[in-house]
Amino acid sequence: QSALTQPASVSGSPGQSITISCTGTSSDVGGSYNYVSWYQQHPGKAPKLMIYDVSNRPSGVSNRFSGSKSGNTASLTISGLQAEDEADYYCSSYTSSDTYVFGAGTKVTVL
Amino acid sequence: EVQLVESGGGVVQPGGSLRLSCVASGFTFSAYWMSWVRQAPGKGLEWVANIKQDGSEKYYVDSMKGRFTISRDNAKNSLYLQMNSLRAEDTAVYYCTRTNIATPGESWGQGTLVTVSS
């Protein structure tokens, strides 16, 4: 199972919006189930779930974070970028083999 | 509050074995699928395995089938990962996660570090 494809890095200035892409195949991201999720990880910390079911936010996650999907590519958008958003972001997807696959990760830098 | 506390990590020689444990609290452990996810130093996340609520179904990433075994004890609110024939590339922080169909990582522990080295 190959890792989902994410850009290595994305940057933006405070207040701007950025979008991170996550590309897979018809066996995972593009499958009929919408089981794509996104995680935020600060250095030395455990990951935190930010988005599940492509576009749903867990309780307590800022509405500045939003998700979407088109075909084999899912996207995470962070609007109103803040310094605290600087972190690594990972996507994951359920697969047709009843397993999960993660993306390689994207480092977000707030300029 | 959901709490997941892993233990059992350490240094082990190549070819050796290690058993990781995770104790859960703050939720009904027996009602959830559970997973192990690992992260090699400076690398990304890798899903390892998951197990159904009653232990009747288990799934593994292909590269770890036959070497790793996931199990659980609902009476002890505990999840386990038995790791055999360890290799240098298994060196990673291993996270215990509460899982649902939509996501392997609904909640995460703090992780336990496994180092495979001679």
Side-chain angles (χ1 to χ4, degrees), chain A residues 30-104:
Chain A
S32 56
Y33 27 75
N34 287 319
Y35 295 150
V36 175
S37 49
W38 290 89
Y39 308 86
Q40 177 191 65
Q41 186 179 34
H42 287 108
K45 300 294 187 181
K48 174 187 175 183
L49 178 65
M50 304 301 284
I51 295 286
Y52 66 96
D53 287 0
V54 174
S55 60
N56 292 321
R57 283 186 307 277
S59 175
V61 172
S62 171
N63 59 8
R64 298 186 298 105
F65 292 85
S66 61
S68 62
K69 189 185 91 166
S70 177
N72 293 341
T73 298
S75 299
L76 173 71
T77 297
I78 308 174
S79 58
L81 199 61
Q82 299 180 2
E84 67 206 49
D85 300 332
E86 187 161 292
D88 293 327
Y89 290 83
Y90 297 90
C91 61
S92 76
S93 175
Y94 188 65
T95 80
S96 58
S97 303
D98 295 321
T99 61
Y100 295 91
V101 61
F102 281 94

Side-chain angles (χ1 to χ4, degrees), chain B residues 1-4 24-28 32 34 98 106-109:
Chain B
E1 178 192 4
V2 173
Q3 281 206 316
L4 300 166
S25 61
F27 66 101
T28 304
Y32 287 86
M34 296 294 293
R98 192 176 83 174
E106 192 176 56
S107 298
W108 299 68

